Amino acid sequence: MKTAHIRGFSLLELMVAMALGTLVIAAAIQLLTINQRTFSLQQTMMEVQEQGRFTLDYIVRDIYKMGFVLVDSSGNPVETPGAVAGVMQVDATVGGVTYAASVDGGAGNDRLTFSYYSGLYGNVDCEGDIAAPDVFIVNTYWVNNGDLFCMGSVNAGTTGLEILSGVDSFQVLYGIDTSEDQSAFATRYVKASSIGTSVVVAMKVGLLIRSDEPMPELGDPETYVVLDQTLTGGTELTESKLRRLFTTTVKARNFDWRKI
């Protein structure tokens, strides 16, 4: 009876197989790492996009209410002493609370403050509080420590609502009509300090927002122009994070046609 001889792998063959296996595993790990980074980047990009679009839409829908006033039986605006609806160029006190006026933040962030009466265009302030009909409402938007807040005047006991975090820049330009021709056209866009007695018929709002987590693989920060403000990468912007710029132009719905 013959005995079967089983020949095993030689040491050289085992070493070659192990080397090939190591290369395959290393390639698989590298591919997995790349896929994870790509997924993380896409997810972060989607989150930043959604947050930016939601915030701009939120502000735009609020701006549409700006300037809505009460009218008499003939359709003429009812003049209310101390309560001028529209862009607030001076501080306003409502319900014992003072709301800061719209201001040009210079090299920093702007503040947007405007008012309207509850009625045809809505009776909810920017915090979601509901007002009774024909109530004077003030909404103000500002940035504090990189977070965008808003505060409405319906509930005097609130201190503001955080809308968005990770804000690098919040800028507002006001489209004013400087020619009285009964045509609502923004002759030019100016900062809050330059509105004067002109009628605001449009607004430009700019937001530069960043991701929460650093992303070193993106390299050094880029330079962004947010309306009239330039933020330089490496100077004003130092963290390597994913950033997206959002801008929009809003046409005002409510203003005194007798003054344009």
Side-chain angles (χ1 to χ4, degrees):
M1 182 177 179
K2 292 184 177 180
T3 302
H5 295 281
I6 301 176
R7 183 175 177 272
F9 294 103
S10 66
L11 179 59
L12 179 60
E13 290 173 329
L14 286 174
M15 293 179 64
V16 171
M18 290 177 63
L20 292 175
T22 301
L23 290 175
V24 171
I25 293 173
I29 292 175
Q30 185 177 19
L31 181 60
L32 178 62
T33 302
I34 293 174
N35 287 339
Q36 287 178 331
R37 288 180 179 176
T38 302
F39 175 77
S40 176
L41 178 61
Q42 291 177 341
Q43 187 176 38
T44 301
M45 186 181 300
M46 182 178 64
E47 290 174 353
V48 171
Q49 286 286 124
E50 288 180 349
Q51 291 173 355
R53 289 175 179 174
F54 168 80
T55 303
L56 270 193
D57 182 64
Y58 190 94
I59 297 174
V60 166
R61 283 184 288 139
D62 208 21
I63 290 176
Y64 282 150
K65 306 171 191 175
M66 180 190 72
F68 180 72
V69 298
L70 305 178
V71 296
D72 58 24
S73 58
S74 300
N76 296 316
V78 176
E79 304 293 345
T80 305
V84 181
V87 177
M88 304 299 296
Q89 299 186 64
V90 295
D91 296 351
T93 301
V94 180
V97 178
T98 299
Y99 300 86
S102 296
V103 294
D104 173 11
N109 297 292
D110 292 346
R111 176 185 282 266
L112 169 61
T113 305
F114 57 88
S115 58
Y116 55 93
Y117 282 89
S118 58
L120 180 62
Y121 286 106
N123 59 347
V124 181
D125 68 9
C126 67
E127 293 187 77
D129 293 317
I130 302 175
D134 304 337
V135 171
F136 186 68
I137 299 175
V138 175
N139 287 337
T140 182
Y141 290 83
W142 77 99
V143 175
N144 182 32
N145 292 327
D147 298 327
L148 178 66
F149 287 84
C150 83
M151 184 165 63
S153 63
V154 175
N155 184 353
T158 65
T159 57
L161 172 70
E162 181 182 334
I163 301 176
L164 179 67
S165 61
V167 177
D168 280 322
S169 182
F170 173 58
Q171 304 297 316
V172 183
L173 291 177
Y174 302 84
I176 59 176
D177 191 338
T178 57
S179 58
E180 295 188 13
D181 54 5
Q182 296 300 301
S183 176
F185 178 75
T187 310
R188 57 196 178 96
Y189 284 86
V190 299
K191 301 297 288 187
S193 57
S194 301
I195 295 175
T197 59
S198 300
V199 178
V200 175
V201 297
M203 279 191 197
K204 288 184 178 180
V205 180
L207 267 175
L208 179 63
I209 64 177
R210 63 182 183 271
S211 60
D212 294 329
E213 299 298 327
M215 307 192 77
E217 63 270 21
L218 296 179
D220 296 331
E222 299 179 9
T223 295
Y224 292 88
V225 178
V226 188
L227 299 185
D228 65 325
Q229 185 190 60
T230 300
L231 284 84
T232 306
T235 305
E236 289 86 3
L237 305 177
T238 56
E239 294 180 292
S240 180
K241 293 186 175 183
L242 179 67
R243 288 180 170 84
R244 283 293 179 269
L245 174 63
F246 300 87
T247 60
T248 189
T249 301
V250 190
K251 185 176 181 181
R253 291 180 174 180
N254 314 297
F255 44 80
D256 193 344
W257 282 87
R258 300 171 299 179
K259 299 180 181 178
I260 65 170

